[in-house]
Amino acid sequence: MMGPIFPWRSGNRFALLIDGPCFFPAMLEAIAAAEREVVLELYLIEDGRCSEVLVDALVTAASRGAEVRCLFDGFGALGLGRALRQRLESAGVQLRYYNPLSWRRGLRNLYRDHRKLLVVDRRLAFVGGTGSTDDFWQPDEEPSRWHEVMVSIAGPLVAHWQLLFDYQWLACVSRRPWKPEEAPGLAHLPPLPPSGEGMGRLAYADARQHKDIVQSLVRSIRRAKHRVWLATPYFLPSWKVRRALLHAARRGVDVQLLLTSRNTDHKPVRYAGQRYYPRLLRAGVRIHEHGPRFLHLKMVLVDDWVSVGSCNFDHWNLRFNLEANLETLDAEFTAAAAACLQAGMTSAQEISLEAWRARPLRKRIRQRLWGWLDRMVVNLLDRRR
Ligand SMILES: O=P(O)(O)OC[C@H](O)CO
């Protein structure tokens, strides 16, 4: 791994904020209270009521003299129109775009900044899986159309999230790689500390160059004693993750997956991922498809360890994206994450092996087709390495 690895830090306070109507007002309130600095990094941001309110808050903060910097993904921000961009710029908000699309960049256009983070005055951070679109939140609309979580963090860990932003902010201009000697980084994944109050760590991925986010997940699953509960909207896990899940289920660990139902924005991804169902079900993994709203949250609970953030742990994300997750070992936060996942699984439909075997022909054809396409593209990309 090329990048430095962040250590565990104790003494943080975490709050799990479930769904846009809970986390957007909290984020806006923090921006409204900013005295010196606001940094925001998002993959998805597009025109709509949600972004209008967010832009209002950023513009107000900048007009009061706070330094406001926004780093948006060059593809994810294509839906952000000129009017909102100009409002930000005229108020003095500094805007940068990660890897803007260009025909000259060819396959390098696939590299995307998928992180989602907000840090205010270097003292309060919000991290998780949201974008700024009306699907996540609109004022006065409840519940939100998409089910998502963010976590508020106060304490020493906030400095690490600020650092992650600052490096990427610089790298966007100079294309400088990370310089390990400049960061408070470790060379290897740190051992898991005993569960304690406010224990947390920043795990990240920098496309193929650095992936402690997934190494940490695989290590946790391999050591799981009681449970592995994993929620993601785009279930295309790498072989290492699948193998760890299968082995955990076979040795009697309670392995449960919370995935999307037909209520998804990328149906082909769902079909391609369903090719893994039979083997997982035979090993004893329980699979739930979340129906009521589109499940967009990305969260894993392994015994008391939680990893939550931007990462879908799929082979596309981990090949091309910048990702960032919060890992925690904190009894209260673990209980909140478990309750959130449990509620999701309770309102989902569980898929049994019998029902799966009896699925109609048209479903089998779709799964074969998209599964085959996914595998073919991945094989082609592997050959280019
Ligand atoms: O990439 P995610 O997981 O942030 O989800 C955003 C979707 O791609 C929107 O279609």
Side-chain angles (χ1 to χ4, degrees):
M1 281 190 291
M2 270 185 66
I5 295 175
F6 286 96
W8 286 87
R9 286 279 184 265
S10 60
N12 301 283
R13 272 177 291 119
F14 308 115
L16 184 66
L17 310 173
I18 302 173
D19 289 329
C22 177
F23 57 72
F24 260 104
M27 290 161 66
L28 294 168
E29 194 181 313
I31 297 172
E35 289 172 2
R36 295 180 309 282
E37 187 180 4
V38 177
V39 302
L40 176 67
E41 186 169 347
L42 285 180
Y43 170 64
L44 205 56
I45 176 162
E46 64 184 32
D47 283 352
R49 294 185 67 207
C50 175
S51 294
E52 278 164 20
V53 178
L54 180 63
V55 166
D56 278 346
L58 296 169
V59 163
T60 309
S63 317
R64 300 197 294 278
E67 183 191 39
V68 183
R69 290 180 287 156
C70 296
L71 173 54
F72 299 142
D73 180 72
F75 174 74
L78 284 179
L80 185 68
R82 185 175 298 184
L84 288 184
R85 289 177 199 236
Q86 278 179 350
R87 278 202 63 208
L88 288 167
E89 279 165 351
S90 340
V93 172
Q94 300 171 58
L95 272 183
R96 284 186 188 166
Y97 296 95
Y98 176 82
N99 197 17
L101 296 186
S102 150
W103 63 269
R104 268 189 255 113
R105 293 188 60 72
L107 278 183
R108 280 175 297 168
N109 281 306
L110 293 172
Y111 289 93
R112 306 285 24 132
D113 182 353
H114 201 240
R115 295 175 186 158
K116 297 97 163 115
L117 68 104
L118 166 72
V119 184
V120 177
D121 286 340
R122 300 180 181 244
R123 62 172 181 83
L124 183 60
F126 293 84
V127 305
T130 197
S132 176
T133 78
D134 290 354
D135 289 316
F136 291 103
W137 179 68
Q138 287 191 64
D140 308 324
E141 186 194 55
E142 203 161 349
S144 50
R145 292 176 216 155
W146 288 10
H147 179 33
E148 182 54 271
V149 299
M150 292 291 282
V151 185
S152 68
I153 310 171
L157 213 55
V158 175
H160 292 179
W161 287 90
Q162 177 79 35
L163 195 63
L164 189 75
F165 176 90
D166 285 339
Y167 272 110
Q168 202 52 51
W169 179 258
L170 286 177
C172 265
V173 176
S174 60
R175 299 209 176 276
R176 279 194 317 185
W178 276 54
K179 287 191 176 161
E181 65 276 14
E182 288 180 16
L186 308 170
H188 302 288
L189 211 53
L192 282 189
S195 189
E197 210 177 305
M199 193 66 83
R201 191 178 87 84
L202 192 173
Y204 70 99
D206 205 352
R208 299 186 85 94
Q209 300 174 58
H210 181 97
K211 295 184 191 179
D212 81 75
I213 202 167
V214 70
Q215 291 186 330
S216 184
L217 172 77
V218 170
R219 183 180 72 175
S220 295
I221 299 176
R222 283 183 184 152
R223 294 177 182 177
K225 291 194 171 67
H226 313 293
R227 65 181 167 193
V228 177
W229 295 355
L230 183 152
T232 174
Y234 308 119
F235 182 67
L236 286 173
S238 62
W239 165 234
K240 273 190 184 166
V241 174
R242 293 199 314 273
R243 188 173 51 188
L245 291 170
L246 287 165
H247 286 178
R250 285 183 192 132
R251 58 173 199 272
V253 173
D254 169 25
V255 182
Q256 303 200 48
L257 306 177
L258 181 57
L259 311 177
T260 53
S261 63
R262 293 168 57 186
N263 193 351
T264 171
D265 67 334
H266 291 305
K267 288 194 168 59
V269 177
R270 174 170 176 252
Y271 296 139
Q274 283 179 333
R275 71 182 187 274
Y276 302 130
Y277 280 16
R279 201 159 177 201
L280 290 163
L281 288 167
R282 279 198 302 272
V285 174
R286 294 176 63 187
I287 299 176
H288 311 265
E289 291 189 339
H290 190 265
R293 291 179 294 148
F294 173 40
L295 170 120
H296 191 263
L297 70 90
K298 309 105 172 34
M299 184 155 68
V300 193
L301 173 63
V302 180
D303 297 336
D304 296 331
W305 177 91
V306 181
S307 178
V308 54
S310 70
C311 190
N312 291 303
F313 294 111
D314 65 277
H315 51 239
W316 288 101
N317 270 219
L318 293 167
R319 186 179 295 257
F320 295 114
N321 288 352
L322 310 183
E323 304 280 358
N325 272 29
L326 167 71
E327 295 182 355
T328 65
L329 277 164
D330 173 279
E332 214 172 294
F333 189 77
T334 299
C340 174
L341 291 170
Q342 186 67 67
M345 292 189 286
T346 306
S347 62
Q349 188 190 355
E350 183 162 1
I351 308 293
S352 68
L353 191 54
E354 294 67 41
W356 188 251
R357 284 182 175 143
R359 70 198 185 283
L361 183 65
R362 66 171 195 289
K363 282 195 181 172
R364 289 170 192 263
I365 294 174
R366 277 192 219 131
Q367 284 146 20
R368 277 286 162 91
L369 186 70
W370 289 109
W372 174 79
L373 207 63
D374 175 61
R375 197 165 40 233
M376 190 182 74
V377 177
V378 168
N379 287 346
L380 280 176
L381 289 169
D382 280 346
R383 240 181 252 171
R384 289 175 52 87
R385 285 161 62 191

